[in-house]
Amino acid sequence: MDGRSRRRGDTRQRLYEAAVELIAERGFSATTVDDIALRANVAKGTVYYNFKSKTELFEELLRHGVGLLTEEFRVAVEGLPPREAVRALVRAQLAYIKRYRAFAQLLVSEMWRTNREWQQTLVLLREQAIGVIAETVQAGVDSGDLPADLDVRVASAALFGVGLVVAVDWLVFQPDRPIEDVEESMLAIVRRVA
Amino acid sequence: MDGRSRRRGDTRQRLYEAAVELIAERGFSATTVDDIALRANVAKGTVYYNFKSKTELFEELLRHGVGLLTEEFRVAVEGLPPREAVRALVRAQLAYIKRYRAFAQLLVSEMWRTNREWQQTLVLLREQAIGVIAETVQAGVDSGDLPADLDVRVASAALFGVGLVVAVDWLVFQPDRPIEDVEESMLAIVRRVA
DNA sequence: CGAACTAAACTGACTGGTCAGTACAAAAAC
DNA sequence: GTTTTTGTACTGACCAGTCAGTTTAGTTCG
């Protein structure tokens, strides 16, 4: 780990942070590369030294963010029995969204859009995140802890989508409401699998 | 209602339809006024004859769409007892989203964004739609049909957000799944108030 | 040691294209 | 004869991406 790659990593990190905030607020197209560079305290050229294009910066940002989320999902469920594991997933998702609020907003904005360049990337990433949930739910069904008639794929997708929207709604419209309430609401909503 | 205003109304309607589809796909900034005019089979000047600006077209589009939704909400609950009324709301939301898929996608994309020009408009419209739900839920709490400890505001907001996201997810990722399944899922999710 | 060298990282002025909004005369609809 | 729409042309602001040049961090060698 020499100084060069550390420096470069720092720059990329700063660019991610700047881009995620601006894009969450304004959307991809309304965010200019100049804005991103300015907020990251970097010259415009540096953006293009580190990323092939504005779109690529965004796609790598998506990969980066969803990668972190699935990572936390995996850590959260490690060694837990099914129903507890599902609860742990809800908690992990909530904590993640609280921590990376802007990224979560951005995901909500882009997740259900069609025909954009990065749509394919996003579908893949969605599969990846939902995949971790599905493994957990499947294990619960196999072990008999969860109802056998549960459609694992659908339940996992619903879990993911509902968690995203309830948590983001909370952060945007009811930020004063304590986090325990939100966790409780989410668990109430997904009671059938938790 | 003379022929002139009907004609004008038609043009505006066509512009709404063109704009909603394009903006749902690409987002507001990535959609050009020329594109909208082209898709609506209208000259660019006509857009500006009917609307002050691109932004105003979009805001009126939002008002128009949410107006229709609340209208359908009101019709749906008319004269129904509380729990049935809630079910009717779910069904109405689902039907609406199925019918105006693009508008629903657009709402999901914009609803939880911050700092855009039309943010204030959207907050108001959200209040309006959730208001109808809240009236119904409140009536249920008052009559004892729904649990007294239910936070009406929060439950209504959750109902609205979850419905939006589950339905849009269905249309985008599982369009072959029959509508009854989706209705069933949504009702299962909101069981506490239905 | 430190001077000279090298490649990686970064800079910011510039370019070519795009797009919101305007102008307006002529035509069509009512 | 008034309202609405058309078609075309135009402008000025804005912006993604480029590139020639500069700085920085690590390396080599006296």
Side-chain angles (χ1 to χ4, degrees):
Chain A
M1 179 70 88
D2 73 350
R4 276 199 264 268
S5 54
R6 184 173 311 108
R7 186 183 176 200
R8 196 157 183 212
D10 281 359
T11 301
R12 289 172 77 103
Q13 184 62 36
R14 292 224 307 288
L15 284 170
Y16 282 155
E17 283 164 20
V20 83
E21 286 170 24
L22 291 169
I23 296 176
E25 283 175 13
R26 314 174 186 182
F28 176 81
S29 299
T31 302
T32 70
V33 174
D34 288 280
D35 288 340
I36 296 171
L38 188 69
R39 163 107 44 143
N41 282 314
V42 139
K44 188 179 193 173
T46 304
V47 177
Y48 286 91
Y49 181 76
N50 282 280
F51 300 94
K52 199 166 107 277
S53 66
K54 182 186 171 189
T55 302
E56 213 213 43
L57 161 57
F58 184 55
E59 288 193 34
E60 293 207 10
L61 174 61
L62 289 174
R63 275 190 277 272
H64 181 72
V66 176
L68 283 178
L69 177 63
T70 54
E71 189 73 21
E72 297 202 5
F73 274 174
R74 283 194 196 287
V75 171
V77 298
E78 194 132 59
L80 260 44
R83 296 185 90 89
E84 276 181 45
V86 173
R87 272 194 289 273
L89 283 177
V90 170
R91 248 177 271 121
Q93 191 178 14
L94 195 60
Y96 179 88
I97 293 173
K98 189 182 179 187
R99 178 125 187 262
Y100 302 108
R101 170 197 165 134
F103 185 74
Q105 280 180 271
L106 182 161
L107 263 193
V108 171
S109 288
E110 297 298 334
M111 182 70 73
W112 294 280
R113 200 163 257 164
T114 40
N115 289 327
R116 297 244 58 183
E117 311 143 73
W118 54 77
Q119 182 65 20
Q120 201 42 46
T121 302
L122 212 46
V123 170
L124 247 52
L125 292 172
R126 178 179 178 273
E127 284 303 309
Q128 181 185 312
I130 291 178
V132 183
I133 301 178
E135 284 170 27
T136 305
V137 173
Q138 185 65 59
V141 171
D142 290 345
S143 72
D145 287 297
L146 294 176
D149 68 331
L150 202 65
D151 181 328
V152 173
R153 212 70 212 162
V154 169
S156 304
L159 209 56
F160 183 71
V162 168
L164 205 51
V165 93
V166 170
V168 170
D169 195 85
W170 157 58
L171 281 170
V172 173
F173 293 110
Q174 312 159 16
D176 301 330
R177 199 174 151 214
I179 190 168
E180 294 79 19
D181 278 21
V182 182
E183 196 176 315
E184 217 268 294
S185 299
M186 280 176 62
L187 287 171
I189 282 173
V190 298
R191 186 152 297 157
R192 199 154 173 247
V193 284
Chain B
M1 179 70 88
D2 71 351
R4 277 201 257 271
S5 56
R6 183 174 310 110
R7 186 179 173 209
R8 199 163 180 208
D10 281 359
T11 301
R12 291 172 77 104
Q13 184 62 35
R14 291 225 309 287
L15 284 170
Y16 283 156
E17 282 164 20
V20 83
E21 285 170 24
L22 291 168
I23 296 176
E25 282 175 15
R26 315 173 185 181
F28 177 80
S29 299
T31 301
T32 70
V33 174
D34 288 279
D35 288 341
I36 296 172
L38 187 71
R39 162 105 47 140
N41 283 314
V42 139
K44 188 179 188 177
T46 305
V47 177
Y48 285 92
Y49 183 77
N50 283 278
F51 298 96
K52 201 168 104 272
S53 66
K54 182 186 171 190
T55 302
E56 213 212 42
L57 160 58
F58 184 54
E59 288 194 34
E60 293 208 10
L61 172 61
L62 289 174
R63 274 190 277 272
H64 180 72
V66 176
L68 283 178
L69 177 63
T70 54
E71 190 71 21
E72 297 203 5
F73 275 173
R74 284 193 196 287
V75 172
V77 298
E78 197 133 56
L80 260 43
R83 295 185 90 91
E84 275 181 47
V86 173
R87 271 194 289 273
L89 283 177
V90 170
R91 247 177 273 121
Q93 192 177 14
L94 197 58
Y96 180 87
I97 293 173
K98 190 182 178 185
R99 178 126 186 262
Y100 302 108
R101 172 201 163 129
F103 185 74
Q105 281 181 270
L106 183 161
L107 263 193
V108 171
S109 287
E110 296 298 334
M111 183 69 74
W112 294 279
R113 204 164 255 165
T114 41
N115 290 327
R116 298 243 57 183
E117 312 142 72
W118 53 77
Q119 183 64 22
Q120 200 44 43
T121 302
L122 212 46
V123 170
L124 247 53
L125 292 172
R126 178 180 177 273
E127 284 303 309
Q128 183 186 310
I130 290 178
V132 183
I133 301 178
E135 283 169 28
T136 306
V137 173
Q138 185 65 58
V141 171
D142 290 344
S143 72
D145 287 298
L146 295 177
D149 68 330
L150 202 65
D151 182 327
V152 174
R153 211 72 212 159
V154 169
S156 304
L159 209 56
F160 182 71
V162 168
L164 205 51
V165 96
V166 169
V168 171
D169 195 84
W170 157 57
L171 282 171
V172 174
F173 292 111
Q174 310 158 17
D176 302 330
R177 202 172 149 216
I179 192 168
E180 295 78 20
D181 278 21
V182 182
E183 197 177 315
E184 216 267 294
S185 299
M186 279 176 61
L187 287 172
I189 281 173
V190 299
R191 186 153 298 159
R192 205 161 167 241
V193 284

